[in-house]
Amino acid sequence: MRFQTSRTTIACEDAGHGTPVLLIHGFPLDREMWNDQLRGLSASARVIAPDLRGFGESGPPPDVMPMEDYATDLAELLEILAVDRAVVCGLSMGGYVALAFHARFPERTAGLVLANTRAGADSDAARAARLQNVKRAYAEGAGAIADAMLPKMLTDATRAARPALASGVRAMMARQTPDGLAAALRGMAARQDRTADLAGIAVPTLVVTGDADTLIPPSESALIAAAVPNARLVTIPGAAHLSNVERPEAFNAAVASFLGTIQPPR
Ligand code: MLT
């Protein structure tokens, strides 16, 4: 389905009934990365998985997409879907957007799932690398970015044992547009440090990581879990950066158990 917001068109899946769960994809991906969650969680929850602006089938982005602007698009989407409050679940860049969503719309956030993400801003070196990748996306295309990122998305063992899964993840990354990648890279480079917000998060929070995540190491998740009051931390064994794709049963079990602790919507 595609929905018109005040600033763009957002494509999204909306499946199941129960507590609304908003699934925010990472970079450079789209809503397809949540297929196993749409299948596995929609029996007990309402699972909403949009494409962020500039990705998948959503509308084109401006030159820079601040994390707060992605969050505002999603708040408008929830309004269109008549969802007052949702559990906001983001992986990696999706986690940056989830933290921005909570900061801007705390009353609309029923809980947070922060998967394979970090609260801090980019270092100078990380920022410089982003801007190099902007150039690379335009010069060489999304396929070059996909080839560079794939080894960090899934473990070596999974890429060897499940080539169709690995080529599906590569294809998802390679079909994104240079404009979408550039806007997100510039937005991530400029994003604010949310570390100081963590102690004030008053909604139930689940932090998920993979023990083989080298892109955002488990130590970053441990920092978030230590700072957010009463947060739960789940470390998924045998998972790299895309823990929900690589170990969907473990990821879904962690989220389902967490949702069981959250008040259903009135
Ligand atoms: C992601 O998976 O969303 C990105 O790798 C996050 C990042 O580059 O900081």
Side-chain angles (χ1 to χ4, degrees):
M1 283 174 288
R2 287 166 70 104
F3 298 94
Q4 190 63 45
T5 68
S6 63
R7 293 190 290 186
T8 190
T9 306
I10 298 284
C12 96
E13 307 295 331
D14 180 3
H17 300 279
T19 302
V21 182
L22 176 67
L23 300 175
I24 312 175
H25 64 77
F27 173 93
L29 297 149
D30 60 37
R31 69 191 197 273
E32 188 186 298
M33 71 164 262
W34 299 114
N35 277 354
D36 285 324
Q37 284 63 52
L38 283 157
R39 270 192 291 272
L41 296 171
S42 57
S44 55
R46 179 175 177 189
V47 187
I48 299 163
D51 287 333
L52 293 174
R53 198 179 339 167
F55 291 92
E57 297 174 303
S58 286
D63 287 349
V64 187
M65 272 303 288
M67 300 300 106
E68 290 71 18
D69 288 8
Y70 288 126
T72 301
D73 285 347
L74 299 180
E76 279 195 41
L77 173 71
L78 292 182
E79 255 163 55
I80 293 168
L81 297 176
V83 171
D84 288 341
R85 297 181 85 220
V87 173
V88 180
C89 168
L91 184 136
S92 198
M93 181 179 79
Y96 311 155
V97 177
L99 286 170
F101 185 99
H102 173 266
R104 192 160 276 195
F105 309 105
E107 72 293 344
R108 310 199 53 188
T109 310
L112 284 169
V113 181
L114 301 171
N116 302 80
T117 195
R118 57 160 54 94
D122 276 2
S123 63
D124 288 345
R127 223 169 269 136
R130 302 253 192 233
L131 302 180
Q132 276 304 321
N133 273 336
V134 171
K135 288 193 187 142
R136 192 169 185 195
Y138 283 114
E140 299 172 48
I145 305 285
D147 287 333
M149 291 191 75
L150 185 62
K152 300 206 168 194
M153 292 297 192
L154 304 169
T155 59
D156 293 350
T158 294
R159 280 184 288 116
R162 301 176 65 193
L165 181 73
S167 63
V169 170
R170 188 199 175 276
M172 202 189 318
M173 296 192 282
R175 71 176 173 234
Q176 307 306 328
T177 63
D179 283 348
L181 301 188
L185 286 162
R186 294 184 185 117
M188 287 194 283
R191 78 185 187 282
Q192 80 183 68
D193 185 345
R194 295 270 173 207
T195 310
D197 294 358
L198 299 176
I201 294 178
V203 294
T205 300
L206 170 66
V207 182
V208 180
T209 184
D211 68 354
D213 191 347
T214 54
L215 212 156
I216 299 187
S219 55
E220 295 284 349
S221 298
L223 284 176
I224 298 176
V228 176
N230 304 315
R232 261 189 215 195
L233 174 64
V234 172
T235 303
I236 300 182
H241 193 54
L242 291 187
S243 61
N244 70 307
V245 172
E246 188 156 21
R247 296 287 320 280
E249 314 77 19
F251 188 95
N252 290 356
V255 173
S257 149
F258 173 69
L259 292 177
T261 68
I262 297 213
Q263 290 284 329
R266 274 165 285 129

